[in-house]
Amino acid sequence: MGTREIKSPEVEMGGNSDHSFRRKKLGIYFIESDDRRTALGGGYVGGTSPVNIRGKPIADLSKTGGWIAAFFIFGNEMAERMAYFGLSVNMVAFMFYVMHRPFSSSANAVNNFLGISQASSVIGGFLADAYLGRYWTIAIFTTIYLVGLTGITLCATIRIFVPNQDQCNQIALLLGNCEPAKPWQMLYLNSFLYLTGFGAAGIRPCVSSFGADQFDERSKDYKSHLDRFFNFFYLSVTVGAIVAFTAVVYIQIQHGWGSAFGSLAIAMGMSNVVFFLGTPLYRHRLPGGSPLTRVAQVLVAAFRKRNASFDSSEIVGLYEVPGKRSAIKGSSKIAHTDNFRCLDKAALQLKEDGTNPSPWRLCTVTQVEEVKILLRLLPVPACTIMLSLILTEFLTLSVQQAYTLNTHISHLKLPVTCMPVFPGLSIFLLLSLYYLIFVPLCRRITGHPHGASQLQRVGIGLAVSIVSVAWAGVFERYRRHYAIEHGYEFSFLSAMPDLSAYWLLIQYCLIGIAEVFCIVGLLEFLYEEAPDAMRSIGSAYAAVAGGLGCFAATILNNIIKSATGNDKEGRQSWLSQNINTGRFDYLYWLLTGLSVINFCAFLYAARRYQYRAKQETEMEVTSKSAPQSEDN
């Protein structure tokens, strides 16, 4: 073979029989010969060149992108996370105290909001990769987000949107004697709550990828910049969460619910202004067309040729366009791999295909490899669903625990809704010390330049989450026994003065550490491993996993209530509204067992996974040595 570049349809079959035999093999002989990171005429290879907002090439890249552009994006993400966490931690209390909904239904409503805002992220990722690009997707959905926050603020401000609050004290709440919210009032609140979640769904899969797009892939420090970017990105997420759990809670206590939700809307509006101010500095990537259409074409073409044999004399070869550029706008060519061989039939060119085949009958190797990559990536974010489930349970159920505990620090009493700030503080501290302590220490152990690989960091996070939820079960068992022994069994909203809420800090800080390692590693992993023209879809994997974790929490809670409680027999469920008669500890131990099983599944998936860069390098080495070995 004179070249190992994937042959285009114009190349005729010919040569001796040995040459023809080699052309039909699927392995090393269909690897593209060019280096996908090599500059072509001073620019990027294969259509991945950054462009300006009008889609034109950028004449001087030094005047755009980099850390300055990234910091404008950090501001938008900080405000979005501030609003997200501000709603998630305050909405349960708002629905209970103002809308007069039970704790259980309030928690489920918030879980559904969290789930919708994350699971629907695939819509935002699709629109960004297919049509709008990441910039315009963020711009549109951040405006939707602002509209939703404004509607929630009006609900908390105007009396007509909430039920009558007269003669509704704590005792009336406990007995369920307060006037419940009317159906149309709940419909109004839920409509704007879910509209806010939909706005977040468009931002989340795009903002991290858009920030990473600002760095030059040709730079020798690209990997280092990308690693630091995702850490700083998550640091901005954490700062937003800390502000939500402290300043927003303080505003709510001092000035009411309307001011608290209004502050979130104002912060979101200001972040939108900052984001738009950075427009001249941003580097953009051209959308590559509908990724779902390309996936569908591969599946249809592979199905239509399912009976074709790889050894048939009718095979011309695996189809790819000639030259260095890919047929997919915004994507480099991708080397052929030997897994999911059934999908290779979509790129199997037969003589009957002709010179101008339909993409629903014949796809390029790069297009097929895109689908393979998406399938290979799935197990890793799927294993993080369990972490999201634990985070969701902590965010809602631990608030009920905190109501029964003493939240004083000396003479200072912290509001219960401030308790989730401690995971944020632990994340902030860990990220601040990450490059000073963790990376040098782990580098000595693993030899990895960044301390640990992306999958190793995800694994560390999942392992720490097991310890966190196991401790939560141990402490909840102790807290419940203490409440019963000291006569607080039926006073589940009364703080026990001799039992500090700061025992909860252990589980909070551990889950914060788990989140840093797992989520930051996952975001970087998905960005680097996803196909060039599907990076928003790749980032959406993480958000969808988070959303499925929220839905799983709601489903699990409903199953536990129906399986463990029986009103006719007077048997309380594990998740009884009276936490002192419920068994939250059993739930935490159940989650511990599920987390161990999930961790074992992750270890299996991680050991089998091969990074794209390593895979391509090994295939290039094999392709150079294989012809010689065959000749021998």
Side-chain angles (χ1 to χ4, degrees):
M1 291 181 64
T3 177
R4 297 187 183 89
E5 184 173 357
I6 304 169
K7 296 300 180 183
S8 66
E10 288 82 3
V11 177
E12 297 278 348
M13 283 289 292
N16 57 49
S17 59
D18 181 62
H19 180 98
S20 301
F21 174 75
R22 290 182 183 178
R23 281 290 310 281
K24 296 171 193 171
K25 295 183 70 174
L26 287 181
I28 57 177
Y29 296 103
F30 298 102
I31 300 173
E32 56 181 327
S33 58
D34 57 290
D35 180 359
R36 63 192 297 266
R37 298 301 182 198
T38 301
L40 177 66
Y44 281 66
V45 171
T48 61
S49 303
V51 296
N52 60 25
I53 195 172
R54 294 181 295 277
K56 305 297 182 182
I58 300 173
D60 187 359
L61 288 177
S62 65
K63 295 181 179 179
T64 61
W67 285 106
I68 296 177
F71 278 114
F72 281 95
I73 299 168
F74 288 152
N76 183 265
E77 178 62 10
M78 190 183 303
E80 190 274 323
R81 294 288 85 185
M82 174 182 163
Y84 177 82
F85 286 110
L87 288 176
S88 63
V89 74
N90 285 294
M91 191 53 66
V92 174
F94 179 75
M95 287 189 174
F96 179 74
Y97 286 108
V98 179
M99 306 304 286
H100 306 154
R101 305 291 297 173
F103 257 127
S104 57
S105 63
S106 300
N108 283 344
V110 172
N111 288 350
N112 291 336
F113 156 72
L114 299 176
I116 288 174
S117 69
Q118 296 187 77
S120 57
S121 294
V122 69
I123 299 174
F126 168 78
L127 291 175
D129 284 341
Y131 306 112
L132 300 176
R134 288 185 262 277
Y135 172 86
W136 286 111
T137 303
I138 295 171
I140 291 170
F141 280 86
T142 199
T143 304
I144 294 173
Y145 205 128
L146 183 58
V147 172
L149 288 173
T150 303
I152 293 173
T153 302
L154 293 176
C155 178
T157 304
I158 302 175
R159 292 176 62 89
I160 193 175
F161 293 121
V162 297
N164 190 351
Q165 304 298 313
D166 296 338
Q167 299 179 343
C168 184
N169 53 29
Q170 189 176 74
I171 296 177
L173 277 171
L174 295 177
L175 297 176
N177 293 334
C178 293
E179 178 186 316
K182 297 179 178 63
W184 72 267
Q185 292 172 330
M186 289 305 302
L187 176 64
Y188 174 88
L189 175 61
N190 287 326
S191 297
F192 280 102
L193 184 63
Y194 294 143
L195 182 65
T196 304
F198 183 66
I203 300 172
R204 187 172 292 111
C206 301
V207 68
S208 61
S209 299
F210 187 53
D213 288 344
Q214 306 309 310
F215 297 95
D216 191 343
E217 291 182 348
R218 301 168 300 173
S219 169
K220 64 179 182 179
D221 297 325
Y222 174 67
K223 291 283 188 181
S224 176
H225 285 320
L226 208 60
D227 181 62
R228 290 179 180 271
F229 165 77
F230 281 104
N231 278 282
F232 281 119
F233 173 81
Y234 212 71
L235 187 63
S236 68
V237 170
T238 304
V239 172
I242 291 173
V243 174
F245 294 139
T246 53
V248 176
V249 171
Y250 175 81
I251 292 172
Q252 185 272 315
I253 293 173
Q254 296 296 321
H255 303 286
W257 294 103
S259 298
F261 294 138
S263 67
L264 299 178
I266 292 171
M268 197 71 211
M270 293 174 63
S271 77
N272 290 357
V273 173
V274 171
F275 176 77
F276 291 126
L277 286 176
T279 299
L281 298 174
Y282 299 144
R283 297 174 183 176
H284 305 259
R285 305 283 179 171
L286 293 173
S290 170
L292 298 184
T293 300
R294 296 202 300 276
V295 170
Q297 287 172 343
V298 170
L299 298 179
V300 170
F303 179 78
R304 295 176 71 170
K305 293 184 177 179
R306 64 191 181 280
N307 295 323
S309 171
F310 290 121
D311 297 325
S312 170
S313 60
E314 295 296 312
I315 295 178
V316 176
L318 291 186
Y319 173 59
E320 182 59 279
V321 294
K324 293 178 178 289
R325 293 188 179 274
S326 164
I328 302 168
K329 185 168 61 174
S331 174
S332 300
K333 282 184 177 179
I334 305 176
H336 174 267
T337 58
D338 283 328
N339 50 10
F340 300 109
R341 287 182 57 134
C342 60
L343 295 178
D344 284 327
K345 293 189 176 182
L348 198 61
Q349 186 178 11
L350 306 177
K351 292 179 181 179
E352 64 189 54
D353 289 329
T355 58
N356 189 25
S358 165
W360 293 94
R361 180 171 180 82
L362 181 65
C363 304
T364 65
V365 169
T366 295
Q367 188 175 343
V368 172
E369 290 301 321
E370 280 188 330
V371 181
K372 289 183 181 182
I373 290 171
L374 292 180
L375 291 175
R376 285 199 301 268
L377 290 177
L378 270 177
V380 176
C383 289
T384 65
I385 292 175
M386 195 66 219
L387 175 65
S388 175
L389 194 159
I390 295 172
L391 285 167
T392 304
E393 297 287 21
F394 276 3
L395 198 61
T396 53
L397 300 182
S398 62
V399 171
Q400 288 180 256
Q401 290 178 289
Y403 271 115
T404 69
L405 301 171
N406 182 2
T407 59
H408 282 84
I409 300 180
S410 184
H411 297 294
L412 175 65
K413 184 181 187 301
L414 287 182
V416 168
T417 45
C418 275
M419 294 302 294
V421 74
F422 291 101
L425 291 175
S426 65
I427 293 173
F428 184 86
L429 180 62
L430 181 60
L431 288 175
S432 300
L433 300 176
Y434 185 82
Y435 291 102
L436 293 176
I437 297 177
F438 175 78
V439 171
L441 180 63
C442 286
R443 189 183 291 132
R444 293 182 182 180
I445 300 173
T446 65
H448 194 280
H450 302 302
S453 70
Q454 295 149 1
L455 288 179
Q456 285 172 339
R457 280 181 276 166
V458 174
I460 291 171
L462 294 178
V464 175
S465 71
I466 296 173
V467 180
S468 173
V469 74
W471 164 258
V474 171
F475 175 71
E476 172 55 22
R477 181 179 178 85
Y478 174 79
R479 188 210 62 77
R480 180 178 180 274
H481 285 174
Y482 185 95
I484 294 173
E485 290 174 2
H486 291 79
Y488 291 95
E489 183 174 0
F490 300 104
S491 302
F492 64 94
L493 288 181
S494 299
M496 297 178 284
D498 296 326
L499 188 58
S500 174
Y502 298 100
W503 284 104
L504 293 173
L505 296 191
I506 297 177
Q507 68 198 53
Y508 277 150
C509 293
L510 285 173
I511 202 65
I513 293 170
E515 194 175 358
V516 168
F517 282 104
C518 186
I519 305 302
V520 175
L522 180 65
L523 287 173
E524 185 178 343
F525 169 77
L526 292 173
Y527 180 82
E528 288 205 46
E529 296 296 299
D532 293 329
M534 291 186 176
R535 279 176 167 166
S536 296
I537 292 288
S539 297
Y541 269 14
V544 170
L548 292 177
C550 297
F551 289 132
T554 299
I555 294 170
L556 180 63
N557 290 349
N558 290 336
I559 292 174
I560 287 175
K561 286 175 188 175
S562 61
T564 62
N566 190 312
D567 293 335
K568 293 181 179 179
E569 297 178 4
R571 186 174 73 247
Q572 297 282 343
S573 75
W574 290 2
L575 298 177
S576 170
Q577 180 156 301
N578 182 347
I579 187 175
N580 295 331
T581 58
R583 297 308 303 250
F584 280 28
D585 53 335
Y586 288 175
L587 171 62
Y588 287 140
W589 286 337
L590 173 63
L591 294 178
T592 302
L594 294 175
S595 297
V596 171
I597 296 172
N598 178 73
F599 183 66
C600 293
F602 169 78
L603 290 179
Y604 176 78
R607 286 179 65 86
R608 290 175 57 87
Y609 188 84
Q610 191 173 38
Y611 289 97
R612 280 180 61 188
K614 180 180 178 182
Q615 190 178 62
E616 291 175 7
T617 301
E618 289 181 354
M619 291 176 69
E620 287 174 5
V621 172
T622 307
S623 67
K624 292 177 182 177
S625 61
Q628 296 178 358
S629 63
E630 285 194 5
D631 291 340
N632 289 337

